Amino acid sequence: MSNPDTSIPVLKMGITIVSYEGTVDRLPKRYLLTVGDKYFLISVKARALVLALLHRPETQQQLELAFAAEAGSHMPAERLIALAAQTLPPVLFRDTPMPTSAKPFLISWTLLSPQSAARMAAHLGWLFRPQVVIVLVATFMVMHATVLQSAIHLVHDAWTIQETVALALLFLFSGLAHELGHIAACRYFRCPHGGIGFGLYFIFPVWYADVTHAWQLRPRQRAVVDLGGVYFQSILLIAIDAVALGSGNPLALKLVWLVTFAMLFTLNPVFKFDGYWLLSDLSGLHNLHQQVSLSVCALIARAMGKQSASRPPLQAAILYAYLVLSGSYFFYIGLFLGHELHSLGAAMSVTPDVYWPSLEPDHHAGWRDVTLVLGHYLGILIWPLMIVFASFFFLNRLRQGVNVIVTGIRAARALPAGGTHG
């Protein structure tokens, strides 16, 4: 009976490896490994090891020879077997079942199958032609700059129940348009895609589209897929801006603000939304949250005069830029929420009759009157509730950031003195 620590692992059939095109020079060469619907970025050495194992070597000597042929260097079989167990994703091994696709949602539902989503996006690919993009984006920027200021002032007004229902439905439609943008971008580049669904991400209800196979595309094409959602929302906003400009309709102006806020929120690099993946694809760096945490720890170590691992200059510059962008956005959101909470408190204390009007009991009131009263309070409370929920989420993220700093300080204290340079 063979020793399990030295037996040669067997990989699944159907594993493919292709060259992965990054956008940043001087970063280590990587390859894209695919098994089923799972994608992994692997190093040159890991690629050589996987290819050697795919030859199905029966002896350790055959494993060493296969690895040497792929890598151009020799490594003992015991070391190769240990590396396979330590570094290769478990899903690659034959006896490991394929995991179900995990989504970053508390709950989720698939509303449009891949076939249905493909039919909806089938005639939309032409919108990604460069000349069309230039015209539509320029039109959006001009019209939106004209409307946005009025929309920002009007959104703080109380919302009637009719407005709330209409805005909720239209906002949901804009989310569907966003996901169709991602799907249409995939179809434009002839890339397979999945369906469209709806889920709860932390406290935020969100649409999502399965564009996992976009990993197969070149970096700039992946960036277009990342931006496809906000691009389609921009096209939708051209129509909404036109209605707002032509009629001054309060519903249209409030919808302008809601969709704009959603687009900016999606593009921020703090959460794993479109902005995160856009920066990741353009930079060629992945697991940005983890890498930024390590960079923060390295900065703390250097500030304390301790030794720390150094990164290539360009990679470090990208991570620090990401850190600055994230920190700036987070600081802005903190100021925004603080200002809104202060304004709401001041408005409620100065004009209590407006926010909390006294209601005389009426035993003859019917369901219509009750509905109107509920709608009145809903219109009053919807914005404060959004601010309160967002504030709790902000404080939780702030707590996580403080934990990273505290962890960095503790780790730096354990390091030897003498900071690194370069």
Side-chain angles (χ1 to χ4, degrees), residues 276-299:
Y276 173 93
W277 297 113
L278 177 65
L279 184 58
S280 177
D281 287 330
L282 291 177
S283 67
L285 297 172
H286 301 280
N287 298 320
L288 287 174
H289 288 166
Q290 180 182 0
Q291 294 199 49
V292 166
S293 297
L294 294 175
S295 295
V296 170
C297 293
L299 285 174

Side-chain angles (χ1 to χ4, degrees), residues 36-153:
D37 62 349
K38 304 297 180 184
Y39 293 83
F40 303 93
L41 287 178
I42 60 174
S43 65
V44 174
K45 183 181 292 186
R47 170 184 176 271
L49 177 56
V50 171
L51 291 177
L53 291 172
L54 287 176
H55 285 299
R56 297 288 192 268
E58 297 181 356
T59 66
Q60 293 189 1
Q61 183 180 11
Q62 290 178 354
L63 175 61
E64 291 176 357
L65 291 174
F67 179 80
E70 298 292 346
S73 60
H74 179 269
M75 186 177 292
E78 293 82 359
R79 178 59 177 158
L80 292 173
I81 293 170
L83 280 175
Q86 296 167 5
T87 62
L88 296 184
V91 70
L92 300 185
F93 300 113
R94 184 178 62 183
D95 297 331
T96 304
M98 290 292 293
T100 56
S101 297
K103 299 181 178 67
F105 308 112
L106 298 177
I107 52 175
S108 62
W109 305 270
T110 298
L111 301 182
L112 291 176
S113 67
Q115 296 76 19
S116 299
R119 285 194 295 269
M120 293 186 69
H123 305 292
L124 300 174
W126 64 275
L127 291 169
F128 288 93
R129 295 173 183 168
Q131 60 270 30
V132 176
V133 172
I134 292 172
V135 171
L136 289 177
V137 170
T139 303
F140 162 74
M141 293 179 66
V142 171
M143 295 188 65
H144 207 58
T146 308
V147 174
L148 188 57
Q149 193 64 34
S150 299
I152 292 174
H153 287 302

Side-chain angles (χ1 to χ4, degrees), residues 133-187:
V133 172
I134 292 172
V135 171
L136 289 177
V137 170
T139 303
F140 162 74
M141 293 179 66
V142 171
M143 295 188 65
H144 207 58
T146 308
V147 174
L148 188 57
Q149 193 64 34
S150 299
I152 292 174
H153 287 302
L154 192 63
V155 75
H156 291 86
D157 293 350
W159 297 9
T160 66
I161 189 169
Q162 293 87 353
E163 279 185 331
T164 302
V165 172
L167 285 169
L169 293 175
L170 291 169
F171 186 68
L172 285 174
F173 176 75
S174 77
L176 176 60
H178 180 104
E179 303 309 326
L180 275 174
H182 293 308
I183 297 294
C186 282
R187 289 189 64 82

